[in-house]
Amino acid sequence: MEENCTLTKIYSFSAAHRLHNDKFSEKENKEIFGKCNNPNGHGHDYYLELTVSGKVADDTGMIIKLDVLDSIVMQVIDYLDHKRLDVEIDHFVNVRASGENIAKYLWDKLVDKIPQPAYLYHIRLWETSENYFDYRGEK
Ligand code: NI
């Protein structure tokens, strides 16, 4: 039977980045990335809304234990917290640390860590109070 209950938890972390691509000229980088190309980077307070789905267990009435979910997510987020993503995190040295790519990174890091029968359903990453990125990968 298809389960249609989800659980969403919100986590936050702070990180800095610079959007830049060596393939482009200095002028092109400025045109494409605007302020986000600032050579010394800039920071964001990111909010991650993480949604899991799965069977509601009869004995607990829950999809997943919250402390289990928290420890899985915090481990991934702590690695990024207070870092300059495009300098300190290998993954983002050659992959632009855009909201789109950070959302995908978080999905890829988390999708296999959520214990079954729960599973990762959706990720929403707020970069500012005015924009967010939704990501839902395979599986
Ligand atoms: Ni930015």
Side-chain angles (χ1 to χ4, degrees):
M1 194 178 85
E2 175 80 9
E3 296 293 332
N4 52 16
C5 191
T6 64
L7 159 75
T8 298
K9 273 212 74 175
I10 302 173
Y11 302 88
S12 65
F13 62 98
S14 301
H17 66 171
R18 179 196 189 199
L19 298 182
H20 181 85
N21 191 332
D22 288 333
K23 277 197 335 199
F24 303 137
S25 69
E26 200 177 319
K27 183 165 173 281
E28 286 170 325
N29 269 297
K30 276 195 184 123
E31 277 168 12
I32 294 165
F33 299 119
K35 278 194 210 172
C36 295
N37 187 241
N38 175 39
N40 292 316
H42 63 277
H44 293 283
D45 293 322
Y46 292 95
Y47 285 85
L48 169 65
E49 291 182 24
L50 185 133
T51 301
V52 297
S53 188
K55 190 175 180 359
V56 177
D58 287 336
D59 52 354
T60 62
M62 293 189 255
I63 296 168
I64 188 173
K65 282 183 71 192
L66 287 179
D67 59 341
V68 170
L69 182 63
D70 286 349
S71 72
I72 291 165
V73 178
M74 290 313 293
Q75 204 182 345
V76 171
I77 282 175
D78 279 348
Y79 184 63
L80 305 181
D81 194 34
H82 286 73
K83 299 279 173 59
R84 168 80 188 255
L85 300 176
D86 57 306
V87 174
E88 295 177 85
I89 306 296
D90 285 347
H91 178 82
F92 291 113
V93 171
N94 293 309
V95 171
R96 256 45 60 197
S98 61
E100 293 90 329
N101 283 338
I102 298 168
K104 181 178 188 308
Y105 170 91
L106 291 168
W107 176 279
D108 290 343
K109 288 287 176 192
L110 290 164
V111 67
D112 290 330
K113 293 198 176 82
I114 308 295
Q116 289 175 350
Y119 59 91
L120 190 55
Y121 181 78
H122 182 255
I123 273 179
R124 173 166 290 178
L125 181 71
W126 289 83
E127 189 175 55
T128 72
S129 59
E130 291 165 8
N131 72 308
Y132 62 76
F133 303 89
D134 284 328
Y135 191 82
R136 195 174 173 189
E138 299 295 313
K139 196 168 162 182

